[in-house]
Amino acid sequence: MTRILTIGVVAVAALLLSIHRFGWGWMLPLSIAVAAILLTVAVIDFDTQEIPDKFVLALIPFAAAAIWAQPEVTLLSRGIGLLVISLPMLVMALVVNNAFGGGDIKLMAVCGFLLGWQNTLFGFFVALVLAVAWGIYLRATGKNKRGEPIAFGPALCAGVFAAMLYGGRVVGWYMGFLSL
């Protein structure tokens, strides 16, 4: 029961954050649909350490719709976003055993197209911070031993959602801070 309640609270929070960020514009239904898929992916990956392809494929129409809903993100930015994280993840997965799963790589490719390259980098940074914090918690509580993998998908999903909502603002602030 606690798990269902937690998922429900996260879903309602995602809805309210989407309404707060996008109002009643075209990005609202898109962000709600993406949030629902990401939440599903996060729960499945948390349980199984696998991201089913059908959920990554389900994101593709929404990534395509984002071209129209967010015209300020250029096709070039989306194309770079498709590769900026997924390609290094693929290389690491080929070089380092169990570095990343194929689902993580495919998820970041589609989400990179959805977000554009700058927001993809921001989302991945958020995911890394969350995953490290979660790993420290698991290790400190004895729930994970050295060398045991942890699901990275939930952190990726949270980072992607954060980037979809606030990535543009954070990246804009950061670039202004650096005078770029």
Side-chain angles (χ1 to χ4, degrees):
M1 186 64 174
T2 303
R3 182 181 174 128
I4 293 171
L5 182 62
T6 302
I7 293 169
V9 167
V10 170
V12 169
L15 173 66
L16 294 175
L17 286 169
S18 292
I19 291 169
H20 178 264
R21 171 63 181 92
F22 298 116
W24 300 101
W26 289 108
M27 274 303 293
L28 180 62
L30 190 139
S31 68
I32 292 169
V34 169
I37 295 168
L38 292 175
L39 182 57
T40 304
V41 166
V43 170
I44 290 170
D45 193 38
F46 185 81
D47 287 343
T48 66
Q49 293 193 1
E50 290 186 19
I51 298 174
D53 287 343
K54 64 184 173 185
F55 295 107
V56 175
L57 292 171
L59 286 169
I60 292 174
F62 301 105
I67 295 169
W68 177 69
Q70 289 185 309
E72 66 275 9
V73 181
T74 66
L75 276 176
L76 178 61
S77 177
R78 293 178 191 283
I80 295 169
L82 186 137
L83 299 172
V84 71
I85 296 298
S86 61
L87 188 58
M89 286 175 79
L90 175 61
V91 170
M92 281 189 67
L94 294 173
V95 173
V96 179
N97 193 28
N98 294 324
F100 297 104
D104 297 329
I105 297 165
K106 291 178 266 188
L107 177 68
M108 285 311 297
V110 173
C111 290
F113 189 83
L114 170 75
L115 299 170
W117 74 270
Q118 291 177 319
N119 286 345
T120 301
L121 290 175
F122 171 72
F124 190 71
F125 175 76
V126 170
L128 287 175
V129 170
L130 292 173
V132 166
W134 180 244
I136 290 170
Y137 165 78
L138 290 175
R139 182 69 61 87
T141 59
K143 295 179 181 180
N144 185 277
K145 294 179 179 42
R146 184 171 172 82
E148 286 182 343
I150 63 169
F152 191 37
L156 289 174
C157 292
V160 165
F161 189 67
M164 186 171 61
L165 293 179
Y166 301 109
R169 290 179 178 182
V170 173
V171 169
W173 171 84
Y174 185 71
M175 298 300 269
F177 179 76
L178 296 177
S179 299
L180 296 175

